[in-house]
Amino acid sequence: MIPVRFHVISLVAVFLALAAGIALGGGPLSELGRSEQASASPSRADRAALSSARSAAGYGDELAASAAPVLYGNALDGRPVAVVAFPGVSDGTVDALAEQVTAAGGTITGRYGVTKAMVNPGEKALVDTLGSQLLTQLQEQDAAGSLSADATTYERAGELLGLAIATTDGDRKAAVGPQAASVLQSFSGAELLTGGDDAATRAPDVVVLLGRDTDEQQDPIYEALLTGLSRRAVAVTVAAGAADGVDGRLSRLRETPVAELLATVDGVDRPTGQVTTVLTLAQWPATKGGSFGLSG
C-alpha cells in the first residue's frame, strides 16, 4: 500500500506539471505555433498570447522550485542516486536535477555521460568487442554475477554499465570495487563513457537523462542499453525534455517493452519536470512502468 503522504505528493506534482503543461501544450501557445507557421508576422493577439503563456509557464516553474523542499520532506532519506546523461543533455540540466536530488535528502554517487560513440550504430563492433572482453574477464575472476551470457551487444553493455555504477540489493554502502572500476576504466578508455573518476560507491537508484534526438535508427540501441541497465539496478527513472514526451525518443520508448521496467518522466528541462522526476524516484516501486510529466 502506498503511504498517504506519497498520494499527496503525487497529486501536488500533477498540479505543478499542469501549471506549465496547460501553458505549453493545451493553451494559446499551441495555437500560436500554428499561426506563426502560417504567417511570418504574428498578430498583436498572438504576441500577447505568447507572453501570457510564457508567464504562466514561468509561474509553474517558480512554484515547483519554491515548493519542492516541502513536497520532498526528505523523501530520498540518504538514498544514493547515480545520474547518467546521454548525448544532447546539457550540464545545466544535470546540475539542476542533482540539486533536486540533494534537496530531497539523496546523495549523488556519480555523474556519468554516455558518449555519441556508444549509441552510434557504426561503432557496434567496438562496443561488442569490448563487452565480450569484459564479460570474459569478469567470468575468469568469478565476478560476472548475474550478467547474461547470451545478452545482445547493447544489452550486455547496459548490464556492464549497471554493474559499474549500480546495485540490485539496495545496499547504501555498495563500494566501487576493482571489477566495477575496471569496467569504468575500460569504457572510458574506449571513449564510450565519461565521468565517474571519483566515484566511491554504487547506487541502487539510477536516473537516466535523454537528450533531444529524433533519430529513430538509434532507438533499438537505447532500448537495449536501458534493458541491460535495468537488470543491474533497483530502480531506473528515465527523463527527457518536454518535447520528447510528445514526438521524441522518450515518447517512442514508452511504447516498447522496456518501459515496463522503468519510470519515465518528461519535462526535465524545466523545474516542474525536475521536481516530478525526484518525486517519481522517491515513490518507486509504485511508479515502475508509469509515465509522468507535462505530457505523461
Side-chain angles (χ1 to χ4, degrees), residues 152 154 215-226 249:
T152 65
Y154 291 101
D215 183 1
E216 297 187 25
Q217 292 184 347
Q218 293 180 327
D219 284 356
I221 296 177
Y222 278 70
E223 182 180 352
L225 286 170
L226 292 172
R249 178 161 286 125

Side-chain angles (χ1 to χ4, degrees), residues 268-286:
V268 76
D269 48 346
R270 306 186 65 89
T272 46
Q274 294 152 14
V275 172
T276 302
T277 299
V278 174
L279 292 173
T280 300
L281 177 62
Q283 295 184 54
W284 188 278

Side-chain angles (χ1 to χ4, degrees), residues 78-83 106-112 161-167 169-177 180-181 184 195-206:
R79 281 164 54 181
V81 179
V83 179
T107 59
I108 300 296
T109 59
R111 295 167 47 155
Y112 308 88
L161 175 61
L163 174 70
I165 71 172
T167 175
D169 58 10
D171 186 351
R172 296 185 175 184
K173 297 181 180 179
V176 175
L184 289 175
D197 296 335
D198 56 350
T201 58
R202 295 176 290 136
D205 301 317
V206 181

